[in-house]
Amino acid sequence: MKSFNRVKLVLIVFILFFLILIYRLIDIQLISTESFSKLKVNLLQESVRQRTEEVVISDGRGSFIDRNGESLSIKEKPAVIAFPFIKDQPDLIRQASEILHIDENRLNDLLSDAKKPVVLEEKITDQSIKDINNLKAVGIYGVYMEEKINERLAMHALGVTNEDPGLLRAKYPDKKDLSIRTEVGTSGLERTFDEFLLPETETKLLYHVDGKGNPLFGMDVKYSAEANAFYPLKIQTTLNKKLQESLEAVLRDYQLTKGGAVLVDIENSSIAAMASKPDVNMSDQMTMQNLMLSPVYPGSVFKTVIAAAAIENGLDQPSKTYDCNLNLYGEQGDDKGRLSFEESFAESCNYTFTQLAEEMTTRNQDAIEDMAEKLTLTQNVGWEGTLYHQENFRQLYNEPKSMIWKDENDKRIKKAIDQTAIGQKDVKITPLQAANMMATIARGGEKEQIRLVEKINYKNNTTMYTFKEQKMPGKQLDRYTVQKMQKLLRQVVTSENGTGRRFQDLPYQVAGKSGTAETGLKNDQGKKLYHKWFAGYFPADQPKYALVVVHMDTTSEQAATNPVYYDYVKKVYEIENGQK
C-alpha cells in the first residue's frame, strides 16, 4: 500500500511538473510572445534576430547639433557593405575590386573568412558608393553609415546613453515594441530629452540565414528603414562648435584636471560653450558629474553680492577707508594698507567686506540673501517650463540648489557673517550661476533663465518646438546699482593692484571678479588646496559673453584659472573676427 501511495505521489508530481512545463511553453509560444518576463522582452523580435544577419546603418536615435546646425553627436562616413555569400560570384567580386581599388584576392579572402557582412571603409568615396550601387547587385551596397562619436565634444553637457533594460521599461512601460537593447539617456541632455531621442526604427541592411549562416533560398537582402521625413529628431543646442572645441583645447593645454569653464551668450541668455574636468570615463561614475552645475565655495567672487548690497544700502561712501592690514576677523594678517570701497573690491580686501556685511545684516538680516536673489544665485538658472505634457520640464539634468545660509541663526553670529561675506562658511554656488550673475549685471540687471537647447527639429530641419527666452521671477537690481557694479568689475582689471590686472592687454576689455576659496583639504605634500575662480564678462563696453573659469582642489602655484581665462578670451576674439 505504501509503495502504491509513493507511486501515486510521484505520478502527481510528474503531472504537475508536466503541466507547468506545458503552461510555460504556451506562455512563451502564444501568450507572452511580445512581452515576456518583467523586462517585457519581445520574443518574436529576438527570434527573428537570431535568424538574421544585419548591418545597422543608423540606430535611429535622435542626435544633437550646435546652434549653426553642425553635428555634435554623430558623424556620417561612406562605406560599402559586402555580404559573405557574394564570394561565389567571381564576376561581381572582380567588378567590386576594380571600383574600390582593392586587390581581388584580398576581397575574396575577406569574404571567405567572414561569418557576418563585411564593412569596407578604407578609401571609400562618394563616387565609389555611386558606382557600387549602379551595379544593382544583390549582396553589395554603398551606404552612408551613421557612427556615434564616442569622445565627442561637450560630453558632460550632452550626456551619455547606456543599455539599461530596467530603466527603459520603468520610463516607457507602454512602448512594448522597444527592444531591451535600446539605449536610454542616463545623464545630461541625453537624459532630459530622452523621450524625444528614442529611436522609432533602425536603418539597416539584413538577410535571413539558415543554421550554417547561408542565406535562405529566395530571400534577398533587404533595406530596412521607415520612410519618415520627420524622425529621428535633432536637438539643436545653443553650443557653438568652434567655441566649444577651443574651450576644451585650452583646458587640455593647461592641464586643468578638476573644474572647467562655462561661456554664456549674454544677449541670448544661452550656453555657448561648457566643459567640465575630469573628462568622462564610462567606467568611473564620478567623472559623469558636470562640475559647472555643481555648487562649490565661490570665495571672493561672492564679494560681488556684498558690494551690490552695500551700494543698494548706501554704504559705498567714497570718502571712507578700511584698514586692509587686518584679516576678515579684524586681526593683524594682511598688508594692503588703507583702501576705499572701490579699491577694496579691486584688490579683494576681506576686512572691508566683512565690515560691510556686519553692518548690513544688523539693519536687515536678509540683506545678503535678498541681493543674492537679485543676482540669480538662490534659484536654478537653467530653462524651466512646460514642454507638451511635461510640466516643470528642465533642460539641465539634475541641476542642484545653491546655498547662502545653512542655518538662519548664523545671520546673528559675527564670525558666520564674516565667513559668508567672503564666500566661505556654507556659501555654495555653481559656476553657471556665477556666469549668470555676471550676465545679469552686464545686461543691466535683467534676470533671465539660461538655455542649453534652442529648438527641437524634425529630421528635415523644420522646427518642432522652440524654447523661447524666459525671465527669472523676483526683484531686479536697480539701474544705479548696476552702473556702479559694472564700474567696480572693470576696475578689478584696470587697477594697478587689481586681482584681474593680468587681463589688461587682451583684445577684449574684460570686467570681472577673482575668487580663492579654501577647501579645508591638503595635497600629499601638505599644501593647502583651493578653488581658484575668475568670473567676468567681455567686451566690457558692449557685453557679449560672460565667462567663468574655476580650477578646483589646486594649490595656488598650480592654479590654471588665469592662464585659461586669458587664452580663451583671445581664442574667442579670433573666432569672432574670423581669424581661425
Side-chain angles (χ1 to χ4, degrees), residues 58-70:
S58 168
D59 65 4
R61 186 171 176 84
S63 60
F64 296 100
I65 57 177
D66 83 341
R67 62 176 60 186
N68 299 313
E70 292 194 51

Side-chain angles (χ1 to χ4, degrees), residues 30 33 71 77 113 217 367 402 407 419 422 511 531 543 563 568 571:
L30 301 175
T33 54
S71 179
K77 58 180 182 180
D113 297 335
F217 181 75
S402 58
D407 187 340
Q419 291 169 2
I422 63 167
H531 298 329
Y568 189 56
K571 296 289 186 184

Side-chain angles (χ1 to χ4, degrees), residues 447-507:
K447 300 191 302 183
E448 295 189 9
Q449 294 179 348
I450 293 183
R451 296 173 298 160
L452 181 54
V453 172
E454 184 176 349
K455 295 177 181 179
I456 302 175
N457 293 333
Y458 290 112
K459 181 180 177 181
N460 61 8
N461 294 319
T462 58
T463 300
M464 175 184 182
Y465 187 88
T466 298
F467 293 92
K468 296 179 180 178
E469 295 177 38
Q470 293 188 159
K471 304 289 185 186
M472 292 183 70
K475 295 179 181 178
Q476 290 187 181
L477 291 172
D478 62 63
R479 189 64 191 165
Y480 175 77
T481 303
V482 168
Q483 290 174 343
K484 290 283 288 185
M485 286 308 304
Q486 289 175 345
K487 180 182 177 183
L488 286 177
L489 291 166
R490 179 62 182 144
Q491 286 177 334
V492 169
V493 176
T494 59
S495 296
E496 183 179 352
N497 295 316
T499 56
R501 59 188 178 277
R502 174 172 184 178
F503 308 131
Q504 289 177 1
D505 63 344
L506 282 168

